[in-house]
Amino acid sequence: MEFSVDGTILLVSFLLIIGVITAKFSSRLGLPSLVLFIVVGMVLSQYIYYDNAMLTQLIGTFALIVILFEGGLQTKWPDIKKVYKPSLSLATLGVLATTIVIGVAAKYILGVSWLEGFLFGAIVGSTDAAAVFAALGNKNIKRKLTSTLEAESGTNDPMAIFLTVSLLQLIQNPETNPDVLVFDFFWQMGIGLLLGLLFGKTAVWVINNINLDSSGLYPVLSIALAVFTFGITSLFEASGLLAVYIMAVLLGNHDMTYRHSIVRFNEGFAWMMQMLMFILLGLLVFPNQLLDVIWEGILLSIILMIVARPVGVFLSLMFAKYNVKEKLFISWAGLKGAVPIVLATYPMVAGLKDSGLIFNVVFFVVFTSALIQGATIAPLAKYFKFSKGAKAEVPHSLELISIGKTKNEMMEIQIEDEASIIGEEIKDLPLPDDTLISAVIRKDSLITPTGDTILRAGDTLYILVHKAKREEIKKIIRQKEESEAENEQEKS
């Protein structure tokens, strides 16, 4: 079916509207939105012929950059810092163990070679950042667990990509030296990490020091820096996705001009890319072909969910401080999504003999995994008593759009429970000159501050301050009661 330019634009607008409505209903139905996006694509495949694996891979890779960047921006380093060791273990050892277990199963169930079986395992071995961020983003589940899953999903893609590419290379060139592959692994991870840190620091400096004529250009600059980070890192044959995630985490945990504009823009952009990517992936699949692998897909899905993933998790967290219930929850919440399906296009682009079989089974496994596991994460968290009820959302946000060319900015900072300023009046705070507390958010109320306003724990302060005084303000607001007690003891 052919479309004119106007017809194609109308179709895209229709798909986006359908995507937004689908996302709305997905939360009510308790299903991951990506499942419904894929269903939309599969329905449209009955009317639109689409089989361009290379274009899907290109769009999918760009979408992953946007999704990982948005997820990294909203990742809180204090939370990730506590769980980065087990998360990295899950992202490496966990993916490898899952690959081996499901690879052995695929060899016998699909009747393929050992290398092709492990290739299948590598493709479905990682959890998906888009699926995990979407599934956990609106649920108030125990922070230790959500931080672990988010950090794992943000950092395990490089391992899955490395294994997929390496196994493809071994299938096509059996004479490949394994030592070279080991070196490639450490090169990709190490250089990806270093460049992520470098570009993260550079991005912080650029965004905070460049004076653009329009506030709307700052979000565009942020995503441009993310894509640039991926491109340059990939030129060094290192992991661009890892670099993007590290860069985004570093950027998101520093003071940033136009933070709200940048975060909101990338949140919307990530949603749009998810819709486009999953609908395209649905278009790439022909439902009648899935029927040919339905029993193989069901069996491999069961093995992946209740054997391979738990083996990977329990091995990875053998020496970590997680109890059995927490390990079981992490095992079940290892959602599959865009990454495995994008990786499944690699054998197709490479012209592998069994690429069609692998793609269809991967799609089926991912779809059923996301459908079953994604729909039951919340009930399982409630059953294990990991859920803390409704997630508290920040009811207000405040940002000045006219400060790009000035040396002042609006800081948003929350008063912690042990802060020494709790109970004090604003007029008694030792604030620097030319500093103004413009608003106080207390629960759902916006308070206009005066000198007599008494500060309470949990208050969010919006402070107009000179950029050079940001760290001084942080120390004043976040100073703990204990530090004062220690100072008194030292004096005595």
Side-chain angles (χ1 to χ4, degrees):
M1 186 175 181
E2 295 183 0
F3 291 94
S4 64
V5 172
D6 294 340
T8 303
I9 292 174
L10 180 61
L11 175 63
V12 171
S13 67
F14 177 74
L15 292 178
L16 289 176
I17 292 171
I18 290 295
V20 172
I21 296 172
T22 299
K24 176 66 175 178
F25 279 103
S26 70
S27 60
R28 291 187 177 183
L29 295 173
L31 295 174
S33 54
L34 67 90
V35 171
L36 298 182
F37 295 155
I38 290 175
V39 169
V40 170
M42 292 174 68
V43 171
L44 289 174
S45 70
Q46 303 302 303
Y47 307 98
I48 304 170
Y49 181 79
Y50 177 80
D51 65 348
N52 195 327
M54 186 170 291
L55 178 60
T56 302
Q57 187 182 116
L58 174 62
I59 295 175
T61 301
F62 182 77
L64 289 176
I65 295 171
V66 175
I67 292 164
L68 280 173
F69 181 64
E70 191 270 335
L73 278 180
Q74 306 222 40
T75 297
K76 305 300 181 185
W77 173 245
D79 295 329
I80 297 298
K81 185 178 180 180
K82 301 173 184 176
V83 298
Y84 78 92
K85 289 182 179 179
S87 297
L88 289 178
S89 180
L90 286 167
T92 51
L93 178 60
V95 172
L96 181 60
T98 304
T99 296
I100 293 172
V101 174
I102 199 69
V104 172
K107 187 261 187 287
Y108 291 104
I109 294 173
L110 299 179
V112 295
S113 67
W114 280 108
L115 285 178
E116 288 178 330
F118 290 130
L119 174 62
F120 176 86
I123 290 171
V124 299
S126 69
T127 59
D128 181 67
V132 171
F133 290 147
L136 301 179
N138 61 350
K139 295 177 177 63
N140 192 15
I141 296 171
K142 191 175 180 181
R143 193 59 210 165
K144 174 185 176 183
L145 299 178
T146 56
S147 297
T148 302
L149 288 164
E150 289 173 359
E152 177 201 5
S153 65
T155 56
N156 68 2
D157 296 344
M159 183 66 173
I161 294 172
F162 166 76
L163 289 174
T164 300
V165 173
S166 298
L167 286 164
L168 269 175
Q169 190 173 344
L170 285 172
I171 292 171
Q172 295 178 313
N173 301 292
E175 302 83 11
T176 302
N177 188 342
D179 293 338
V180 174
L181 298 180
V182 173
F183 174 79
D184 285 346
F185 171 75
F186 287 103
W187 173 267
Q188 289 187 36
M189 301 301 133
I191 301 301
L193 174 62
L194 290 175
L195 290 180
L197 292 171
L198 174 63
F199 284 118
K201 292 182 178 180
T202 303
V204 172
W205 186 88
V206 169
I207 290 175
N208 284 334
N209 288 277
I210 192 171
N211 289 322
L212 299 175
D213 293 330
S214 171
S215 61
L217 290 174
Y218 284 87
V220 179
L221 174 63
S222 70
I223 196 64
L225 290 170
V227 177
F228 181 77
T229 297
F230 178 88
I232 294 297
T233 306
S234 297
L235 284 179
F236 284 93
E237 297 186 353
S239 176
L241 292 177
L242 177 62
V244 168
Y245 183 72
I246 297 298
M247 170 261 198
V249 171
L250 201 126
L251 181 62
N253 284 274
H254 277 77
D255 290 320
M256 184 168 50
T257 300
Y258 295 109
R259 168 179 291 276
H260 289 294
S261 299
I262 291 172
V263 171
R264 294 286 81 82
F265 170 86
N266 283 287
E267 185 178 8
F269 195 21
W271 269 108
M272 187 173 73
M273 293 309 300
Q274 281 190 62
M275 294 175 193
L276 177 61
M277 176 178 59
F278 290 124
I279 290 173
L280 273 182
L281 293 173
L283 282 171
L284 196 61
V285 172
F286 298 96
N288 61 315
Q289 294 180 3
L290 294 180
L291 295 176
D292 297 333
V293 296
I294 186 169
W295 297 112
E296 293 90 340
I298 290 174
L299 187 54
L300 285 170
S301 295
I302 293 172
I303 294 173
L304 178 61
M305 288 186 284
I306 68 175
V307 180
R309 169 67 178 176
V311 167
V313 169
F314 276 78
L315 282 176
S316 304
L317 302 181
M318 186 181 300
F319 302 108
K321 295 180 180 179
Y322 292 81
N323 58 42
V324 174
K325 286 184 178 181
E326 290 173 335
K327 291 177 182 178
L328 287 174
F329 180 80
I330 291 172
S331 299
W332 193 251
L335 298 178
K336 311 302 175 183
V339 174
I341 300 178
V342 171
L343 289 180
T345 64
Y346 281 46
M348 299 178 73
V349 173
L352 204 65
K353 178 183 175 181
D354 291 323
S355 61
L357 171 65
I358 291 174
F359 182 87
N360 287 328
V361 178
V362 166
F363 185 92
F364 189 90
V365 169
V366 168
F367 184 81
T368 54
S369 171
L371 178 65
I372 296 171
Q373 292 174 295
T376 53
I377 284 181
L380 184 63
K382 188 175 181 180
Y383 177 77
F384 283 151
K385 298 181 179 179
F386 295 150
S387 180
K388 299 180 179 179
K391 186 172 183 179
E393 300 289 344
V394 178
H396 306 279
S397 64
L398 179 65
E399 183 172 69
L400 296 182
I401 61 173
S402 59
I403 59 176
K405 290 183 175 295
T406 74
K407 294 183 179 180
N408 296 323
E409 72 172 30
M410 186 70 73
M411 284 185 65
E412 176 187 335
I413 186 167
Q414 189 175 51
I415 301 176
E416 298 175 358
D417 292 339
E418 300 84 10
S420 60
I421 65 170
I422 293 174
E424 291 193 19
E425 296 180 352
I426 288 179
K427 64 185 178 184
D428 295 328
L429 297 182
L431 298 175
D433 294 336
D434 301 324
T435 299
L436 178 66
I437 298 180
S438 303
V440 177
I441 306 299
R442 183 169 296 160
K443 295 183 178 179
D444 292 334
S445 300
L446 174 62
I447 299 173
T448 302
T450 65
D452 297 328
T453 300
I454 298 175
L455 300 175
R456 299 177 184 176
D459 286 353
T460 298
L461 308 182
Y462 287 93
I463 307 173
L464 186 62
V465 61
H466 192 285
K467 291 180 179 179
K469 300 291 185 180
R470 286 181 298 196
E471 293 304 318
E472 183 178 348
I473 292 294
K474 284 183 182 179
K475 290 179 181 178
I476 293 171
I477 303 300
R478 292 176 176 168
Q479 186 177 11
K480 306 289 185 180
E481 293 279 7
E482 291 80 7
S483 62
E484 291 187 350
E486 289 172 2
N487 291 334
E488 290 178 4
Q489 289 179 0
E490 289 176 2
K491 291 179 181 178
S492 60

